[in-house]
């Protein structure tokens, strides 16, 4: 796979740093990778879009899943993951996750993360949707992500690692042989380096998180604009399964017109016994699945949407009044505070909830070592598609995936450098093109993209809605492209225009894949193709960007991931 030659319109780098590895992102995946690289003796630079602790990890409420409880086994965890993934998980990838996961969690604890403990002194474990056992470790009741982020950030700072905060990554640099040579980035505000610069390194680890901001309402923070996926596409990497966006079933309903990041009501609330009910107090999930409210998330989201359609209402309710004030305050203090801040008291009234965009099961395609189809470019965490999640992520597998695959990436980088002197040298990147190859969108396009995606490619999709969305996105793309091709004009380079351009890139890929997948599977729901079609669609849709900015789509032969180019070369 060679680079597309497409880069964002941006000034040439005015400064540069040399390193062995640059890690882009500061969530559980990025900081785990950075710490392990440092321990392996690799000079590492961490680049993050906001502050070190501002990624999606700190918003994770429920916990981290691993077979740590008495009687639980990796095999049982594997079975639950495969069921949730609706026939599209790569079983080898899942087996890696569940077998290496328990020790990865123990290493996280050794790093300094403190999880809630039972009266007996062991880990206090809970259940979430799709799990047949209590295997979710949590911290601070419902503040697991915040605790993990705190521990990792403290460890990074204690080691004096070089970090570049408030920096938006722009594009991948490559050398004359097409190998990774670092990244360009733009540092916002005052600091040691301002403006556009570069980190030169033979290995780049993308851990940039998700792309929830492609929809109007999401649980994702404002920084989740798909930057890593867009960068990878421009670099020539393949992405897969982008149509599988998980809509969390229980997000606090703030009104039909609410936009931006919405408060999450963790699945762990249902794991502790809360019930989903309609306005009449009827539990509508009973009888729809053996686990009722604890069915996999796609099933619960669909159950809520169906009931909303039947009753022509905008939300359902989560009833946990029977918990009592003491349990709410001890087990779910963050959620309790968020609800009360919006005028709702879960202790005395049901909480209005509706599905909202939450997690991208797809992303940059990797192998079992986190390698993408571009030599030297790795990906882990939500930006990656390892094959673990299939068509629908099992609850609380995301933090575990970030841990396990980040560690595997570092093992591969260290082994590559030990066996290949070429990798040990900081490569010389090819010259920055004089003329921009990718037009930028005006900042206001962000909101247009979000409305298009919410209306046409949200929880419910159809051929008609997706065609309309594709046409509207293509119009935005064509207008920007034509202006650049005809007179060289494009929107002024800046964070807002770069983010809007990245959002359009990932939105186009998501809609293209969703149009091609003519079935309902996992969190991809086509109301014009209501059934799962294993004969034709138990396979992955892989997308890459052509040099002329069109999309190339193909499907895999099976549900297993084909090898990446780097793996292929080793055979």
């Amino acid at each position: 796979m060679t680079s597309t030659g497409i880069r964002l319109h941006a000034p040439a780098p005015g400064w540069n740093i040399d390193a062995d590895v640059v890690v882009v992102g500061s969530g559980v995946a990025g900081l785990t990778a950075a710490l392990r690289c440092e321990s392996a003796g690799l000079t590492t630079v961490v680049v993050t879009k906001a502050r070190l602790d501002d990624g999606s990890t700190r918003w994770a409420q429920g916990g981290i899943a691993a077979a740590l409880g008495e009687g639980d086994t990796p095999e049982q965890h594997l079975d639950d993951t495969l069921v949730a993934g609706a026939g599209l998980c790569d079983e080898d990838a899942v087996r890696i996750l569940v077998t290496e996961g328990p020790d990865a969690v123990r290493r996280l604890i050794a790093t300094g993360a403190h999880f809630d403990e039972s009266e007996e002194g062991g880990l206090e474990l809970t259940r979430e949707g799709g799990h047949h056992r209590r295997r979710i470790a949590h911290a601070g009741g419902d503040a697991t992500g915040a605790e993990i982020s705190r521990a990792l950030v403290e460890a990074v700072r204690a080691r004096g690692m070089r970090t570049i905060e408030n920096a938006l990554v722009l594009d991948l640099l490559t050398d004359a042989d097409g190998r990774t040579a670092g990244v360009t980035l733009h540092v916002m505000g005052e600091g040691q380096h301002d403006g556009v610069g570069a980190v030169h390194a033979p290995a780049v680890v993308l851990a940039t998180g998700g792309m929830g901001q492609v929809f109007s309402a999401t649980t994702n923070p404002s920084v989740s604009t798909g930057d890593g996926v867009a960068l990878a596409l421009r670099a020539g990497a393949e992405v897969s399964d982008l149509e599988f966006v998980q809509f969390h079933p229980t997000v606090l309903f703030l009104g039909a017109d609410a936009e931006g990041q919405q408060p999450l009501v963790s699945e762990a609330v249902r794991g502790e016994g809360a019930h989903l009910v309609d306005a009449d107090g009827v539990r509508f999930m009973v009888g729809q699945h053996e686990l009722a409210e604890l069915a996999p998330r796609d099933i619960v989201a669909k159950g809520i949407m169906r009931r909303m359609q039947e009753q022509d209402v905008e939300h359902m309710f989560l009833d946990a009044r029977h918990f009592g004030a003491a349990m709410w305050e001890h087990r779910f203090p963050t959620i309790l505070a968020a609800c009360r801040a919006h005028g709702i008291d879960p202790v005395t009234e049901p909480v209005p909830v509706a599905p909202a965009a939450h997690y991208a099961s797809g992303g940059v395609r990797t192998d079992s070592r986190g390698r993408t189809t571009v030599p030297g470019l790795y990906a882990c965490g939500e930006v990656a598609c390892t094959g673990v999640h299939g068509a629908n992520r099992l609850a609380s597998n995301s933090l575990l995936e970030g841990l396990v695959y980040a560690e595997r990436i570092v093992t591969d980088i260290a082994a590559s450098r030990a066996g290949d002197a070429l990798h040990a040298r900081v490569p010389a990147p090819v010259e920055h093109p004089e003329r921009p190859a990718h037009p930028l969108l005006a900042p206001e396009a962000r909101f247009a993209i979000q409305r298009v995606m919410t209306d046409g490619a949200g929880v419910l999709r159809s051929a008609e809605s997706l065609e309309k969305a594709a046409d509207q996105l293509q119009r935005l793309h064509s207008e920007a492209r034509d202006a650049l091709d005809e007179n060289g004009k494009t929107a002024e380079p800046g964070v807002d225009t770069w983010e809007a351009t990245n959002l359009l890139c990932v939105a186009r890929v998501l809609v293209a894949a969703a149009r091609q997948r003519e079935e309902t599977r996992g969190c991809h729901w086509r109301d014009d193709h209501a059934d799962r079609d294993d004969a034709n669609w138990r396979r992955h849709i892989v997308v890459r960007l052509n040099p002329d900015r069109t999309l190339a789509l193909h499907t895999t032969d099976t549900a297993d991931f084909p090898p990446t180019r780097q793996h292929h070369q080793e055979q």
Side-chain angles (χ1 to χ4, degrees), residues 451-464:
R451 287 190 290 270
V452 167
M453 294 299 289
T454 297
D455 292 343
V459 181
L460 278 173
R461 303 165 179 175
S462 67
E464 182 179 0

Side-chain angles (χ1 to χ4, degrees), residues 356-380:
H358 182 56
Y359 189 89
S361 291
V364 185
R365 189 170 79 79
T366 75
D367 65 8
S368 62
R369 302 184 211 174
R371 299 177 297 187
T372 73
T373 51
V374 174
L377 179 65
Y378 298 79
C380 55

Side-chain angles (χ1 to χ4, degrees), residues 193-502:
H193 300 286
D194 290 337
V196 175
V199 181
H200 296 162
V204 171
V205 180
L206 291 180
T208 51
M211 55 184 193
Q213 289 291 325
V214 79
F215 295 98
S216 296
T218 177
T219 63
N220 289 193
S222 61
V223 295
S224 297
T225 50
D227 308 318
V229 172
L231 173 149
L233 282 163
R234 290 192 295 271
E238 294 180 350
V239 303
S240 185
D241 297 359
L242 228 60
E243 68 271 31
F244 296 117
V245 175
Q246 188 175 78
F247 283 73
H248 198 288
T250 54
V251 176
L252 185 63
F253 182 75
L254 301 180
D257 298 326
E259 295 183 340
Q261 186 177 9
Q262 313 287 301
L264 177 66
V265 182
S266 170
E267 196 155 311
V269 178
R270 281 175 279 138
E272 297 293 350
H275 302 144
L276 280 167
V277 299
D278 60 20
D280 298 321
V282 177
R283 287 182 63 189
F284 55 88
M285 285 304 299
V286 175
Q288 291 198 36
H289 189 276
E290 61 168 337
L291 297 176
E293 284 93 352
L294 283 177
R297 288 180 179 177
D298 62 311
I299 294 172
V300 178
K302 290 171 187 174
I304 291 173
M305 291 297 295
R306 288 194 187 99
R307 196 65 155 196
M308 286 164 54
Q309 289 177 323
E310 290 169 3
Q311 299 187 345
D312 193 24
V313 295
E314 296 177 326
H315 63 83
M316 289 286 107
F317 293 93
L318 189 65
D319 192 352
R321 290 175 290 180
H322 54 285
F323 283 6
M327 181 173 173
W328 267 109
E329 291 165 1
H330 167 72
R331 182 67 178 84
F332 302 110
T334 308
I335 299 170
L336 178 63
C339 289
R340 285 176 171 170
H342 291 283
I344 300 156
D345 189 348
V347 176
T348 60
E349 60 185 316
V351 178
V353 293
H358 182 56
Y359 189 89
S361 291
V364 185
R365 189 170 79 79
T366 75
D367 65 8
S368 62
R369 302 184 211 174
R371 299 177 297 187
T372 73
T373 51
V374 174
L377 179 65
Y378 298 79
C380 55
E382 191 173 354
V383 70
C385 185
T386 62
V388 160
H389 303 307
N392 179 55
R393 175 180 66 99
L394 180 66
S396 288
N397 266 358
S398 51
L399 292 174
L400 189 71
E401 184 197 31
L403 279 179
V404 168
Y405 281 87
E407 293 185 342
R408 293 181 71 84
I409 284 172
V410 177
T411 300
D412 189 76
I413 293 173
S416 296
R417 288 177 59 83
D420 187 350
L422 180 64
H423 285 112
R425 298 195 302 269
V426 175
V430 295
E431 289 296 316
H432 190 280
E434 293 183 5
R435 188 174 184 274
H438 201 298
L440 299 181
L441 274 69
E444 55 268 24
R446 175 176 184 146
F447 304 104
I449 294 165
Q450 290 172 335
R451 287 190 290 270
V452 167
M453 294 299 289
T454 297
D455 292 343
V459 181
L460 278 173
R461 303 165 179 175
S462 67
E464 182 179 0
S465 76
L466 290 167
E467 181 180 10
K468 183 178 179 181
D471 289 344
Q472 291 172 319
L473 295 174
Q474 183 60 38
R475 189 176 305 118
L476 288 170
H477 175 73
S478 298
E479 289 172 355
R481 179 199 61 201
D482 293 345
L484 180 64
D485 291 345
E486 291 170 9
N487 53 34
K489 291 185 178 179
T490 188
E492 189 69 23
V495 174
D496 290 345
T497 55
W498 288 321
E499 286 185 334
T501 303
N502 285 339

